[in-house]
Every structure is written in structure tokens, then in C-alpha cells.
Amino acid sequence: MRKVRTAVLISGSGSNMAALVEASKAADYPAGVVLVVSNTPDAAGLAKARAAGVEALAIDHRPFGKDRESHEFAIQAALEQAGAELVALAGYMRILTPFLVRAWSGRMLNIHPSLLPLYPGLHTHRRALEADDKEAGATVHLVTPSLDEGPLLGQARVPILPGDTEETLAARVLIEEHKLYPACLAEVAKALQEDGYPPPGDAWPGALGKHGGALG
Ligand code: GRF
């Protein structure tokens, strides 16, 4: 069976992206990473992707100023050009507009470093420590218009240990993220293959068509 063409959006170190790329090299893994996009040109993940033989593009959000949608039109153009069928957000630190979320409805995954619905948003590990939680973890979910919500695809749990700091806890969670995300992506890719690639959101393929090709 062919691999589902998957794009990964990053903003930083890209360790989750690297875990997805590594997993996707196995012959029987149902997804293949065809494109990595970063909104920050100096993201370390871009070099990691290229070193792994994956096309990697920087689409800087700064020239677009407050016009987040136009930035997303540029990303969408790159996704369409790469023939992407799934999108995995992996440390992508921009809040999406309804345009991109709708275009990829049911086809966009995110990994969040908490046991959702606990701690959506930032500083998840600090908040878990401040709440004196006994465990922390990570969640992979489908992306919907609300931040860090959407159907859960999987969770990984780790204990919070005496003396933990944000850094030690983040490192323990990250190890689990690198196993959880490839497992969840595989499930979604397999389901797509089995269901015969049903159409995604209301605006794809050619999500840009609706916007008059307003691309830079
Ligand atoms: C991860 O903790 C992920 O859960 C969160 O951002 C971090 C990204 O790390 N969304 P990396 O760029 O994958 O190394």
C-alpha cells in the first residue's frame, strides 16, 4: 500500500518531526513525510529535515504582519504543491485561522505536551508542577477551530517525580511524545487508506481556489 503523503509544520527544534520522519522510513509504515514547513527561518528542525532527505521550506510569517490568513495561503500553496494528504503540527507555534483548519478538517493532527483537556495553551509543565499533579503527559488530537481541543487520538503518561523542574519534566514527556506521535499518525494514515481517502474539509483540494489565488 502506498504511503499517505504527510506534511509536518514546525517552528523550532523539530524533534517530533524527526521522530515522524524516522518512523516513516519503515517499509510498513503507512505515512511518508513529503514536506516540512517552518514559519521561522532559523528553526533547527529545517536542517534536521534536510539532513534526513526531506524537502524543507521556511515560510516566514513576519512579512505578512497581522495578516495570518495570507501567511496560511502561502503555506496551503506549498502543501498543495507537495500533494500533501495529511498535516501534522509538531511544535508549530502559530494559532491557526479557520481557513487552514477547515481546509484540513479531519486531516490535521497536533501534539500537545499535557494530558488534555488539562492545560491547553502554553507552559503546560509549569502548570502541572504548580498544581502538584502526580502525572503529566502528552496528547495527540485532531485539530479543530478551538485551541488544543478536538478529538483525542492518543495520550502518553509519565510520573511527576520529587524534585522535577519544568525542564526535567519536559524531557521525560518528550521521550514519550516521540513514540506517541508516530503511533497516532500511523492510525490516521491507516484509516485513510482503509476508507479510500474520503475528502477532507470543505475546502480541499484546491482550498486556495476560494481565495482567488491570492498568493505571493
Ligand atoms: C513539543 O513538546 C510539543 O508537544 C509541543 O511543542 C514541543 C515541540 O518540540 N507542541 P519539538 O519541536 O518537536 O522538538
Side-chain angles (χ1 to χ4, degrees), residues 50-71:
R50 290 181 190 127
V54 178
E55 185 188 353
L57 290 177
I59 303 180
D60 194 345
H61 62 277
R62 288 170 299 189
F64 296 92
K66 291 193 170 136
D67 188 355
R68 291 188 297 139
E69 218 180 39
S70 289
H71 177 239

Side-chain angles (χ1 to χ4, degrees), residues 23-37:
S24 72
K25 287 184 185 157
D28 60 350
Y29 192 81
V33 179
V34 294
L35 178 68
V36 170
V37 177

Side-chain angles (χ1 to χ4, degrees), residues 76 80 97-107 145 198-211:
Q76 178 66 16
E80 289 188 14
T97 78
F99 164 71
L100 208 61
V101 175
R102 284 202 196 113
W104 292 92
S105 172
R107 302 266 193 136
D202 59 354
W204 192 97
L208 289 168
K210 289 192 165 181
H211 296 272

Side-chain angles (χ1 to χ4, degrees), residues 60-163:
D60 194 345
H61 62 277
R62 288 170 299 189
F64 296 92
K66 291 193 170 136
D67 188 355
R68 291 188 297 139
E69 218 180 39
S70 289
H71 177 239
E72 290 181 357
F73 293 167
I75 290 177
Q76 178 66 16
L79 297 176
E80 289 188 14
Q81 194 166 9
E85 297 165 306
L86 275 179
V87 176
L89 306 181
Y92 184 68
M93 300 304 286
R94 303 278 296 170
I95 293 177
L96 300 181
T97 78
F99 164 71
L100 208 61
V101 175
R102 284 202 196 113
W104 292 92
S105 172
R107 302 266 193 136
M108 182 182 272
L109 290 67
N110 181 43
I111 187 159
H112 183 75
S114 80
L115 295 170
L116 290 174
L118 286 178
Y119 315 129
L122 297 174
H123 310 302
T124 54
H125 304 307
R126 185 191 309 168
R127 288 152 74 197
L129 289 170
E130 283 170 0
D132 209 17
D133 290 348
K134 298 294 169 255
E135 60 176 9
T139 303
V140 175
H141 63 97
L142 285 174
V143 175
T144 57
S146 325
L147 181 69
D148 297 329
E149 286 184 14
L152 303 192
L153 299 170
Q155 288 190 314
R157 292 167 186 274
V158 303
I160 296 182
L161 302 177

